[in-house]
Amino acid sequence: MDSIIVRGNGPLSGEIPIAGAKNAALTLMPATLLTDEPLTLTNVPRLSDIKTTNELLSSLGTEVAVLQGGQIIVLDTHKITNHTAHYDIVRKMRASILVLGPMLARDGEAVVSLPGGCAIGARPVDLHLKGLEALGAEIELKEGYVHAKAPTGLKGAVIELEFASVGATENLLMAATLAKGTTVIKNAAREPEIVDLADCLRKMGAQISGDGSTDITIEGVEKLHGATHPVVTDRIELGTYMLAPVIAGGEVELLGGRINLLAAFCEKLDACGISVTETKRGLKVASRNGRIKGVDVVTEPFPGFPTDLQAQMMAMLCTADGTSVLEETIFENRFMHAPELIRMGASIEVSGGTATVTGVEKLKGAPVMATDLRASVSLILAGLAAEGETIVSRVYHLDRGYERLEDKLSACGANIERVSE
Ligand code: UD1
């Protein structure tokens, strides 16, 4: 199993290209199941989760062509030849549940294993299933699998989500494109990845309005066709690398970054004394007077502060002035990075969904364990400014969400290397 070794090495300088969004790609790829014509995605990030999705789609009958080293993927699902998404693949990645809606909408049947994914809480899929039932699907849970049927096709309905779930909104949005009549998803998630999915579906012939707001309206159509679509910029990769020069010092340009992808995050950085400026090519980040002020953060659905940046923000606040309180409202078990940061000398107290961080002068390198995707990268960020060596083990989590992380950071002067045991 690989580890990553980071040695605190002073200020960073240079540029980091930001890839296409993992979370957008993971919902755009299953959209292939809605059409018998090819769907071409460009700006695809090169990640293990994308490989897993290719494997999953291939198992359902999709012909997958990977071009330009993985940046372009052509998905051709002329026919769905198998309607069961098996546990072996689904357990590796929770987003596999996103094949359920499209498969059901196209062929009236789908069997999908209940998902696994990151160990950051219970993460049920009840909202996906209730929404599909509202569209007329019959759903049964048997031996760890969701069995869904709609022999006479799905029918449009008004669905009010109890919580603005990203995955449920995506599954229902895809399913509704081929349902008969009008569907309205109320209290829909508003994440940029949802807007990106809607843009792609419109190119495929779907009739969708209101995406990016709380109410999405979909007029079902008979058939969707092929399309070519570039994956939106990864705002979480962007936010992660924006914190690197804040933690290590220096100035880095994030190529392809835009403030509107991360407005709430940028507001918090501003409150900490960090300037974010838009350039022709992306964003530049610099500390205004060298010291970082502590700040309180509450994670919320978009447009609020993203839960996927909470761990990285905590790593940054470990050496900020004063006390910061971080409240996690989306996932109930998402402070697993805290004990690891404490091993590096951080002062953090966790109580339920709240973590109180009291800034210390400097962190010290230590062997630490990655527990989930965003937790892993927070430990790498912390290591950038720690004294001595930080060894992060179990980095397979990182490879799910960050392409060429060591290359991107070392190109800016970080002392970071991957070692295989
Ligand atoms: C997506 C992102 C993930 C991000 C999360 C919140 C992908 C592939 N992953 O995950 O990186 O952290 O949004 O921004 O896009 N819930 C239910 N029932 C459901 C669905 C969700 O109770 O049927 C709960 C979950 O347990 C969780 C919360 O709702 O507590 C948020 O989940 P959701 O928005 O669905 O996140 P994901 O789509 O899984």
Side-chain angles (χ1 to χ4, degrees):
M1 224 183 277
D2 291 357
S3 302
I4 287 185
I5 303 182
V6 196
R7 296 176 190 93
N9 194 33
L12 303 177
S13 74
E15 52 190 46
I16 298 183
I18 304 301
K22 168 182 87 83
N23 286 351
L26 295 188
T27 184
L28 290 164
M29 293 170 74
T32 177
L33 298 169
L34 292 165
T35 173
D36 58 7
E37 294 181 17
L39 172 64
T40 301
L41 297 174
T42 62
N43 197 35
V44 178
R46 286 158 289 183
L47 303 169
S48 63
D49 270 7
I50 302 294
K51 286 195 185 137
T52 307
T53 309
N54 282 336
E55 215 184 305
L56 172 65
L57 292 171
S58 300
S59 78
L60 304 175
T62 304
E63 284 169 29
V64 180
V66 176
L67 311 175
Q68 287 194 12
Q71 280 179 307
I72 297 180
I73 296 185
V74 184
L75 303 164
D76 190 343
T77 317
H78 196 64
K79 189 170 172 354
I80 301 176
T81 53
N82 160 41
H83 292 85
T84 302
H86 283 285
Y87 178 65
D88 283 359
I89 307 179
V90 175
R91 71 181 168 83
K92 294 187 197 161
M93 200 185 61
R94 178 183 160 79
S96 309
I97 192 73
L98 295 172
V99 300
L100 179 62
M103 222 179 347
L104 183 64
R106 175 151 156 203
D107 283 351
E109 60 173 309
V111 180
V112 179
S113 167
L114 285 165
C118 279
I120 54 174
R123 305 185 81 175
V125 291
D126 54 320
L127 302 175
H128 301 236
L129 304 187
K130 274 188 210 160
L132 291 173
E133 277 175 339
L135 294 175
E138 294 158 24
I139 294 193
E140 266 189 288
L141 295 183
K142 280 190 284 190
E143 289 154 7
Y145 281 77
V146 177
H147 293 251
K149 274 193 196 143
T152 55
L154 296 174
K155 291 179 192 63
V158 176
I159 305 167
E160 171 121 34
L161 294 176
E162 283 157 46
F163 176 83
S165 154
V166 174
T169 303
E170 292 167 345
N171 233 337
L172 298 171
L173 174 56
M174 287 191 278
T177 58
L178 293 180
K180 285 187 199 85
T182 309
T183 299
V184 183
I185 308 174
K186 291 180 173 272
N187 193 27
R190 290 178 277 169
E191 271 67 1
E193 294 76 23
I194 307 270
V195 176
D196 200 37
L197 173 63
D199 279 342
C200 177
L201 293 170
R202 273 188 288 264
K203 287 180 196 162
M204 294 167 72
Q207 292 191 17
I208 302 168
S209 58
D211 45 296
S213 77
T214 52
D215 288 5
I216 306 180
T217 303
I218 306 115
E219 299 290 343
V221 295
E222 199 62 31
K223 211 170 162 11
L224 294 184
H225 50 74
T228 297
H229 181 79
V231 179
V232 69
T233 301
D234 195 321
R235 63 197 166 95
I236 305 302
E237 189 195 29
L238 172 65
T240 302
Y241 288 128
M242 284 169 76
L243 291 176
V246 174
I247 290 175
E251 192 178 271
V252 171
E253 188 169 14
L254 296 311
L255 306 183
R258 282 181 286 129
I259 287 178
N260 65 359
L261 288 170
L262 280 176
F265 175 75
C266 291
E267 268 170 37
K268 287 294 170 191
L269 291 190
D270 184 57
C272 293
I274 299 155
S275 294
V276 180
T277 41
E278 282 196 346
T279 64
K280 277 197 188 130
R281 302 164 73 211
L283 293 179
K284 258 191 191 163
V285 179
S287 156
R288 282 199 290 269
N289 66 6
R291 286 303 305 166
I292 311 280
K293 288 200 284 269
V295 74
D296 295 343
V297 172
V298 181
T299 62
E300 284 168 342
F302 191 85
F305 190 99
T307 173
D308 285 350
L309 285 171
Q310 177 260 108
Q312 300 88 314
M313 191 74 176
M314 185 187 285
M316 190 270 271
L317 292 171
C318 286
T319 50
D321 286 343
T323 297
S324 308
V325 178
L326 292 106
E327 196 186 328
E328 174 57 59
T329 70
I330 311 290
F331 294 112
E332 72 269 30
N333 187 20
R334 208 175 196 182
F335 285 134
M336 286 176 296
H337 39 286
E340 303 300 313
L341 291 168
I342 291 169
R343 302 191 63 239
M344 296 176 71
S347 169
I348 305 168
E349 268 181 51
V350 175
S351 165
T354 303
T356 306
V357 182
T358 307
V360 297
E361 194 57 37
K362 214 164 175 42
L363 295 181
K364 293 197 172 60
V368 287
M369 188 90 84
T371 49
D372 70 57
L373 170 54
R374 308 303 172 185
S376 333
V377 85
S378 75
L379 301 173
I380 305 262
L381 288 177
L384 289 175
E387 233 168 65
E389 197 170 86
T390 301
I391 305 165
V392 183
S393 54
R394 292 200 186 165
V395 295
Y396 55 87
H397 289 293
L398 269 181
D399 297 331
R400 292 186 48 206
Y402 292 91
E403 67 166 40
R404 300 186 303 108
L405 174 118
E406 315 89 273
D407 297 347
K408 288 188 182 186
L409 285 172
S410 54
C412 295
N415 184 337
I416 177 167
E417 62 175 322
R418 180 182 289 249
V419 289
S420 299
E421 279 158 28

